[in-house]
Amino acid sequence: MSFINYSLREINCKIVYYGPGLCGKTTNLQYIYRRMNPDSRGKMISLATESERTLFFDFLPLSLGEIRGFKTRFHLYTVPGQVFYDASRRLILRGVDGVVFSADSQLTRMDANVESLENLQGNLREQGYDGDRIPLVMQYNKRDLSQVASVSQLHALLNYRNVPEFEAVATTGVGVFETLKAIIKLILIDLKKGGR
Amino acid sequence: MAQGHFILREKEFLDFQAVLKKLLANSFAKVVFLIDKNGSLIASSGETENFDTTSLASLAAGNIAATGGLASLIGEKEFSILFHEGERDNMHISVVANRLILVVIFDRRSSVGLVRLRTRRASVDLERILRDIDAGAAKEEEGDIEELTEADIESLFK
């Protein structure tokens, strides 16, 4: 649920990166953080365990300039991917305006991708969202590794809504900004329509 | 509120600011923030320049969400007040009308009892403003956002 402040002429939107454990959600945010102009980004917050697995969420605020006289601010969050942190994931989805589903392209992680996508749909439903209408972008990450599924396989397995999809290598930044740009566009188009 | 957008117009924004300013003075606090439950800062008053307000808003919302999760695990609807005591500064966080989060940061010039009392009174005023927002949202639609074009959106990425 975006927050529009007509007095300060600001639009605030919430983007959540979702996906199975170790698929690269935090790495996406770290890359964006490193590459954004310091004037455009705030501090990145990572609530992680000692082993650097996300415990609650990562948070990165971005300001992307003005649109029709409104300052645009995007709040990027990741969820913890590990299966047992479902309560945290549900909390972070509250008020979400758009979701990036980051899939792990490795063949051995296909079951984890499907399980995570089903978990996303269930948790969105629980928060009162229609999982088939919320702005969504698919990112097929880790394309640089061997033993990865083809894009058409990933598409058939995960992208039943036929939303924009991108190949990515979050560690080097391939596809990271393309994914971000796509979800921001979808959110703003949704905002223009007056929300869900 | 679960769907659509939270739209804040100038009058209600100024009303929120006025309540926060009064709360700041009456509670002898250092700074007061009003945040929505999704982590966006709505309004603030006091020595805000010393704080990273964006991070503070997202973490306070996360804090309330997590304690709300804890509450439901023990069969409570919500823990409506959180208090964090530091060596120098303290933080009082409360939920307003199940939708907003009011954060008061104070030091030894004030006390938790006084903050709690003043916060409760301020919450009544904040709830009234929220009702005004809801009534306004039902009556009128603002045009600017609906008129966004593809070119406007594309211009963000140039």
Side-chain angles (χ1 to χ4, degrees):
Chain A
M1 183 190 66
S2 48
F3 167 48
I4 304 165
N5 186 332
Y6 274 91
S7 186
L8 298 179
R9 307 288 288 178
E10 272 181 13
I11 299 172
N12 291 272
C13 300
K14 179 171 178 177
I15 299 171
V16 173
Y17 281 69
Y18 212 94
L22 294 176
C23 72
K25 300 175 290 294
T26 301
T27 312
N28 263 274
L29 258 63
Q30 285 169 338
Y31 184 82
I32 294 165
Y33 179 78
R34 283 202 305 272
R35 295 300 298 267
M36 285 296 286
N37 181 334
D39 296 338
S40 308
R41 57 154 163 86
K43 208 159 76 180
M44 180 165 167
I45 291 173
S46 287
L47 303 181
T49 61
E50 281 182 14
S51 57
E52 308 229 334
R53 303 289 298 268
T54 304
L55 178 63
F56 193 8
F57 61 75
D58 306 299
F59 169 67
L60 176 61
L62 295 179
S63 299
L64 279 194
E66 292 194 3
I67 187 167
R68 294 239 162 189
F70 282 84
K71 282 174 259 174
T72 53
R73 297 178 191 278
F74 295 91
H75 292 187
L76 277 47
Y77 287 83
T78 68
V79 295
Q82 288 152 288
V83 172
F84 48 85
Y85 286 136
D86 200 36
S88 306
R89 279 194 294 276
R90 277 198 299 271
L91 298 175
I92 295 152
L93 277 179
R94 279 190 194 161
V96 67
D97 293 300
V99 178
V100 170
F101 186 82
S102 187
D104 189 326
S105 296
Q106 295 176 96
L107 286 167
T108 53
R109 299 295 286 160
M110 290 307 119
D111 286 349
N113 288 329
V114 171
E115 192 182 348
S116 178
L117 188 63
E118 285 172 355
N119 177 259
L120 168 66
Q121 297 290 0
N123 283 339
L124 282 171
R125 214 167 28 244
E126 205 166 289
Q127 301 294 330
Y129 290 99
D130 180 345
D132 288 337
R133 291 186 62 201
I134 191 160
L136 175 70
V137 169
M138 285 283 165
Q139 182 187 68
Y140 306 135
N141 197 21
K142 305 197 179 187
R143 298 307 296 167
D144 57 329
L145 299 184
S146 55
Q147 306 279 312
V148 295
S150 68
V151 170
S152 59
Q153 282 173 312
L154 285 158
H155 178 93
L157 193 63
L158 303 170
N159 198 358
Y160 70 96
R161 274 181 57 189
N162 206 18
V163 297
E165 57 190 10
F166 298 90
E167 294 184 65
V169 183
T171 46
T172 58
V174 174
V176 169
F177 277 100
E178 288 81 354
T179 307
L180 177 64
K181 183 176 168 181
I183 191 65
I184 286 173
K185 270 188 167 183
L186 289 183
I187 289 172
L188 291 174
I189 291 167
D190 197 54
L191 190 71
K192 169 183 153 76
K193 286 184 200 151
R196 288 162 295 281
Chain B
M1 278 284 289
Q3 305 286 313
H5 315 299
F6 177 27
I7 295 176
L8 182 63
R9 293 187 171 76
E10 183 146 21
K11 183 190 175 300
E12 284 84 15
F13 175 69
L14 294 175
D15 289 348
F16 276 144
Q17 291 281 41
V19 174
L20 296 193
K21 202 173 163 192
K22 188 171 152 195
L23 171 63
L24 183 82
N26 289 344
S27 63
F28 301 102
K30 289 172 84 167
V31 62
V32 180
F33 296 103
L34 188 65
I35 295 162
D36 81 354
K37 269 197 162 180
N38 305 323
S40 292
L41 181 70
I42 294 173
S44 60
S45 187
E47 304 160 21
T48 50
E49 64 280 1
N50 298 325
F51 293 93
D52 176 353
T53 51
T54 309
S55 299
L56 201 138
S58 92
L59 286 173
N63 201 346
I64 283 290
T67 22
L70 281 177
S72 67
L73 287 179
I74 66 159
E76 276 292 327
K77 199 170 145 207
E78 187 166 59
F79 292 129
S80 55
I81 293 175
L82 309 180
F83 175 59
H84 302 304
E85 185 175 289
E87 280 184 11
R88 195 188 64 230
D89 291 332
N90 312 302
M91 190 180 281
H92 185 280
I93 306 178
S94 53
V95 177
V96 178
N98 201 30
R99 282 158 53 170
L100 304 180
I101 299 168
L102 183 57
V103 180
V104 181
I105 298 172
F106 63 98
D107 59 19
R108 60 183 58 176
R109 286 175 293 176
S110 185
S111 69
V112 63
L114 180 68
V115 168
R116 188 153 296 184
L117 176 72
R118 301 301 191 198
T119 299
R120 202 174 293 147
R121 287 184 187 170
S123 297
V124 175
D125 294 334
L126 294 173
E127 280 189 42
R128 197 190 59 242
I129 299 165
L130 262 182
R131 282 197 295 274
D132 292 346
I133 291 174
D134 291 344
K139 269 189 291 190
E140 55 176 317
E141 281 295 321
E142 204 84 17
D144 289 300
I145 303 293
E146 286 74 14
E147 288 159 16
L148 281 182
T149 63
E150 290 270 341
D152 289 329
I153 295 170
E154 200 58 46
S155 73
L156 267 187
F157 304 101
K158 280 178 184 155

